[in-house]
Amino acid sequence: MKRKNPIIIPRPEHTLSRSMLSPNAVQALYRLKKQGFTAYLVGGCVRDLMLGREPKDFDLVTDATPGQVKRLFRNCRLVGRRFRLAHLHFEDEIIEVATFRAPEPDESAEVESLPSTATTADHGVSKPARPPRHLKSDEGVVLRDNIFGTPAQDALRRDFTVNAMYYDIGDFSLIDYCEGLDDLKRGVIRTIGPPAERFTEDPVRMLRAVRFAAMLGFIIEDATWSALVELSATITRGAPPRLYDEFLKLFLCGEGEKCYQLLRGSGLLKALLPGFNDWLERESEGFPHTRTSASLDWVDSRIQEGGKVAPQLLLALMFGEYLEEQGKGFRQSGTPLQQSLDMAVAGLLGELAGSVLIPYKVGMQLREILSSQHRFRKTAGKRPLSFISRPSFIESMDYFRFISATTGEGIESLRWWERFVMENPLPPESKMEKEQDTMTPGIPAKRSRRRRRPKKGLPQQSP
C-alpha cells in the first residue's frame, strides 16, 4: 500500500463535527495551527467518532517536534523512548501529541553501527554518541522509532487502516491515505502493509487486532488473520509490562469474552499463558472448563452497564477455578489450606513473569480475594467488622457473589453479608485505598521514629 495522494472527504460528506471533540484537543490543535504547524486529530478517536462511539481519549499528530511542542505548551511532559511523545496535562484529561513519523531510513545500518562514544574535534575528548533514532532487535522488533516525516509517511507507518485517518481542524475535512474509511464501512480490521512485517515490527499489534475486532464487532481480514495465527508464538517478544497493560485492555473493554475466544482460536492465549491454556484444554472430572468464559461474561455485563472491575478482581475471576484446582493438588500432598493457595498464586505469577508481568501489589490482592472466600461461609464468625474493613473486601465479596450466582452455593451467606454491610457501612474508599497503598500483606506498618536531639553539654559523635 503506497498511496501518495490521500482521499479528502469534505465536511458535508462526513458526520464528524468539531463539537464532538474534547475542548482541550481543539485548543491544542488551534494553538499548533496558529504557530504555523500542521496538526490533525488522528487514530482511535477519529474512528470511534465516525462510528458514533464516544472516544476514551483524543490523540493529535503534528509536524512540530516533541521539543517544539514542549516549548509551546507549559503543561507539556515528554515521555517514551521507543516513540518520543508529548503529553499535554489538563485538569481532566491528557492529550497525546505525536510527531509525523517516516519509514526506516536507508542509512539506518550506519546509524546503528556507531560506537557508544564518539571522538570530537575538541582536543580529542570522547562524548557519548547520540542514540540511534531507529533501532530494531535481531528478531525485527522495532525498539526505537523517532524518524520524523510527512503526514503521508506517518499514515503508512500506523498499524491498521481504520486507525490511520486524520481530521483537519482547518477545513473540517477527513484525510484518508490508507482506505481506512472503506474498511470502516465494511467492518474490517486490516494492517497497513504486509501483516507479517507489521506484526514482526511490533508483536503487540496482534493483541490490538483482537481487541479492535471484538470491541467494534469487526472481522479480521483474511491475510491479517493468517499472519496473526502464524506469528502468535512471537507475542512474548513484547515487553512484559506492556503486555500486562494490553491484557487489561483486552478483558476490560466490555467485550472480554469475545477477546478470550479470539485469543484461544489464534494461539495467542497458548503463547501468553501456556499452563493455563493446557488446563483449559483438559476436562476436570469429566467436565470442560466453562467458568472462565462465564466470568468474562459477568465482567462484560458490569462494564457495559457503566461499572468498573479492578484488575485484581478480573484476575481472580479469570484464574480462580484454575488456582483452586492447583491448590487442591497441593493439599492432597499434606500442605495446609492457606499455604497451598499461596503456592498456587505464586506459581501463576511466576509462569506469567516472562510474558504478562503482573505487579506485585495486584498479585497480593489476588491472593487476598481467594484466601478470604472461606470466611464468607462463616457469616458472623469472629470480628466481622474487621473483615469488612479489609482493603480488598469489596472485590472479595464481588467474587463470592459471582461464585454464588454461578454455582448456586452460599446464597444465604451472601445475603447475610449484604445485610451486614448495609447495617455497617464500609469506610470511605479513599481511606481503604490509602491503607492498601501503605501496607504490604503480611508485614506490619512501620512506625516513624522520632530522631532524638543530643543532650546539651555533651559532644556530638561524628558520622
Side-chain angles (χ1 to χ4, degrees):
M1 182 182 295
K2 295 184 178 180
R3 176 183 291 276
K4 294 183 180 180
N5 300 318
I7 299 173
I8 307 293
I9 301 98
R11 176 64 186 90
E13 297 179 18
H14 66 78
T15 58
L16 200 159
S17 169
R18 180 178 51 176
S19 62
M20 301 175 179
L21 310 185
S22 157
N24 296 324
V26 173
Q27 175 188 339
L29 284 168
Y30 276 127
R31 182 177 294 186
L32 286 163
K33 287 279 190 181
K34 185 177 179 180
Q35 295 299 317
F37 295 109
T38 300
Y40 300 138
L41 195 70
V42 68
C45 54
V46 177
R47 177 201 68 217
D48 288 345
L49 288 170
M50 292 296 293
L51 292 173
R53 299 168 61 93
E54 182 178 357
K56 290 186 177 180
D57 45 43
F58 291 85
D59 298 336
L60 313 184
V61 65
T62 178
D63 58 353
T65 65
Q68 290 172 324
V69 175
K70 184 173 176 59
R71 287 191 291 272
L72 191 58
F73 294 89
R74 294 178 59 187
N75 58 337
C76 177
R77 303 289 184 274
L78 299 185
V79 300
R81 295 182 60 190
R82 182 171 175 266
F83 299 111
R84 195 65 168 162
L85 300 169
H87 280 180
L88 306 184
H89 290 253
F90 295 90
E91 183 178 354
D92 55 347
E93 69 177 332
I94 295 176
I95 301 296
E96 185 173 280
V97 183
T99 303
F100 294 123
R101 283 179 170 77
E104 178 182 357
D106 294 336
E107 67 273 13
S108 62
E110 298 178 9
V111 174
E112 291 176 22
S113 64
L114 286 174
S116 58
T117 60
T119 302
T120 68
D122 299 331
H123 308 289
V125 177
S126 295
K127 295 183 179 180
R130 182 177 180 178
R133 292 180 297 162
H134 189 93
L135 184 65
K136 284 186 177 181
S137 70
D138 294 338
E139 294 83 9
V141 178
V142 175
L143 304 177
R144 192 183 296 269
D145 188 9
N146 290 302
I147 304 295
F148 302 139
T150 66
Q153 291 174 320
D154 182 78
L156 296 174
R157 289 291 295 156
R158 293 183 176 270
D159 52 6
F160 305 107
T161 59
V162 295
N163 293 339
M165 293 179 288
Y166 301 134
Y167 175 73
D168 187 351
I169 197 71
D171 60 7
F172 315 121
S173 65
L174 281 178
I175 305 173
D176 182 5
Y177 284 93
C178 307
E179 301 177 0
L181 187 60
D182 185 51
D183 284 344
L184 199 68
K185 293 176 180 177
R186 296 189 299 120
V188 172
I189 300 297
R190 178 165 57 96
T191 60
I192 300 171
E197 178 181 328
R198 307 321 301 273
F199 290 149
T200 298
E201 290 175 343
D202 184 1
V204 177
R205 285 174 176 157
M206 293 186 282
L207 298 184
R208 288 169 57 83
V210 166
R211 174 160 57 89
F212 293 142
M215 184 175 65
L216 303 175
F218 285 13
I219 62 170
I220 300 177
E221 180 254 351
D222 289 344
T224 301
W225 176 258
S226 296
L228 191 155
V229 172
E230 182 179 351
L231 296 172
S232 60
T234 67
I235 187 61
T236 54
R237 292 176 183 171
R242 186 177 175 215
L243 288 174
Y244 172 71
D245 290 339
E246 290 295 331
F247 182 89
L248 294 184
K249 291 178 181 178
L250 279 166
F251 295 112
L252 296 177
C253 71
E255 297 292 347
E257 206 281 330
K258 289 182 182 178
C259 290
Y260 169 69
Q261 297 299 344
L262 286 170
L263 290 176
R264 293 193 69 183
S266 64
L268 287 169
L269 190 72
K270 181 177 181 180
L272 286 171
L273 313 170
F276 179 64
N277 185 77
D278 290 345
W279 173 80
L280 285 171
E281 294 179 352
R282 297 192 303 266
E283 293 186 347
S284 294
E285 299 178 354
F287 294 96
H289 301 110
T290 60
R291 202 170 97 183
T292 299
S293 182
S295 70
L296 291 172
D297 278 331
W298 186 90
V299 170
D300 290 341
S301 296
R302 170 169 283 198
I303 292 173
Q304 291 167 9
E305 292 170 359
K308 294 184 178 181
V309 176
Q312 60 268 25
L313 176 58
L314 170 68
L315 296 174
L317 290 166
M318 282 193 65
F319 300 117
E321 186 181 14
Y322 172 63
L323 293 172
E324 289 165 8
E325 286 199 18
Q326 296 291 311
K328 184 179 179 181
F330 291 128
R331 288 198 302 276
Q332 289 175 349
S333 62
T335 306
L337 175 64
Q338 183 59 52
Q339 186 178 351
S340 65
L341 184 58
D342 292 347
M343 292 170 64
V345 172
L348 175 67
L349 298 181
E351 176 189 341
L352 301 185
S355 55
V356 182
L357 184 59
I358 298 174
Y360 173 79
K361 175 183 173 181
V362 175
M364 295 304 97
Q365 292 168 334
L366 163 65
R367 185 186 71 175
E368 176 67 19
I369 290 172
L370 298 179
S371 64
S372 65
Q373 293 306 301
H374 70 280
R375 179 65 181 85
F376 285 101
R377 308 281 181 176
K378 299 178 181 179
T379 58
K382 295 181 179 179
R383 298 189 297 276
L385 285 174
S386 175
F387 179 54
I388 69 172
S389 297
R390 292 183 179 181
S392 295
F393 174 78
I394 295 176
E395 289 80 14
S396 299
M397 190 169 178
D398 278 338
Y399 183 82
F400 187 65
R401 185 176 286 115
F402 167 76
I403 297 299
S404 297
T406 304
T407 65
E409 301 176 359
I411 294 178
E412 291 301 320
S413 297
L414 174 63
R415 290 173 180 169
W416 188 94
W417 282 106
E418 288 175 339
R419 288 194 301 269
F420 185 78
V421 170
M422 290 184 65
E423 296 168 358
N424 302 272
L426 294 170
E429 186 176 352
S430 59
K431 180 179 178 182
M432 294 177 68
E433 289 178 353
K434 184 176 181 180
E435 293 174 354
Q436 189 175 19
D437 289 339
T438 56
M439 294 185 65
T440 301
I443 301 178
K446 294 182 179 180
R447 295 182 179 179
S448 60
R449 298 180 62 183
R450 180 178 298 176
R451 186 173 183 179
R452 294 183 178 180
R453 293 183 178 179
K455 293 182 179 181
K456 292 183 179 180
L458 295 177
Q460 297 186 27
Q461 293 182 352
S462 59

